[in-house]
Amino acid sequence: MKTEPPPASKDAYRIEPLTSEDDWRRAWPCMNSLRPNVSLEQFLNYRDDFLANGYQLFGAVIDDEVACVAGLIIYPHIVRRRDCWVYDLATLENYRSQGHGKRMLEFLEKYARSHGCSRLCLHTNVANLRAQHFYENHANYKKFGYVYISELA
């Protein structure tokens, strides 16, 4: 049975950068819901390398619980100058459908604009219909192109 979290006061909700190892531990339940094949140990081991290469992790914190996370990188773009790519966006199950993902995207859009980006871009797996429905119907994002990959390992 799905349990609903208690309503948070406005002062209890904040979006903050997550940089320390403790922050990433707190973010793990959200990230694990999106990346179940990555262990907590791997996630923590990636931290220093990711941060050194421009990856930024933000968390929507409600009463000291990380309810939603988003990881991004700002890349140069030959035409647009800079694009902000969101690689990881996840909300804990018991906080879904309450507007946290949309609030996170609004925060990221403002953040990207303030860092000279002309677009906020993201991708999702073709099988992740729930995420596609959210982006297209609740966040007003449009499909723009295709992402092609070649597995190298």
Side-chain angles (χ1 to χ4, degrees):
M1 181 175 188
K2 184 176 171 182
T3 59
E4 296 297 322
S9 69
K10 275 191 166 181
D11 296 334
Y13 183 92
R14 64 193 182 282
I15 295 177
E16 61 187 41
L18 304 174
T19 57
S20 71
E21 183 175 319
D22 185 55
D23 289 341
W24 281 46
R25 284 182 188 280
R26 289 174 46 230
W28 174 244
C30 276
M31 190 61 75
N32 185 243
S33 71
L34 181 66
R35 309 281 183 217
N37 57 329
V38 177
S39 70
L40 173 59
E41 182 180 15
Q42 288 171 315
F43 181 62
L44 295 175
N45 286 338
Y46 296 157
R47 188 179 135 270
D48 289 337
D49 183 47
F50 280 28
L51 294 175
N53 284 289
Y55 182 88
Q56 298 172 71
L57 186 63
F58 292 94
V61 180
I62 301 173
D63 295 325
D64 294 322
E65 180 176 28
V66 178
C68 180
V69 295
L72 63 87
I73 294 180
I74 294 176
Y75 284 111
H77 191 282
I78 195 100
V79 174
R80 291 171 194 81
R81 198 164 88 89
R82 289 191 181 121
D83 279 343
C84 181
W85 273 90
V86 177
Y87 282 96
D88 308 295
L89 177 61
T91 303
L92 287 175
E93 184 68 38
N94 62 329
Y95 287 100
R96 290 184 185 160
S97 300
Q98 298 175 30
H100 301 298
K102 188 170 182 180
R103 285 173 79 176
M104 178 63 81
L105 284 174
E106 289 167 355
F107 167 84
L108 296 174
E109 288 169 5
K110 288 178 188 174
Y111 182 86
R113 277 190 206 96
S114 74
H115 285 79
C117 298
S118 60
R119 296 190 305 184
L120 185 70
C121 310
L122 53 87
H123 58 82
T124 185
N125 189 288
V126 294
N128 192 343
L129 300 177
R130 185 175 183 175
Q132 293 164 35
H133 177 80
F134 166 72
Y135 294 127
E136 293 174 22
N137 298 305
H138 298 287
N140 296 315
Y141 277 59
K142 295 172 184 64
K143 288 182 186 176
F144 179 76
Y146 296 94
V147 175
Y148 294 94
I149 62 169
S150 175
E151 298 292 339
L152 302 176

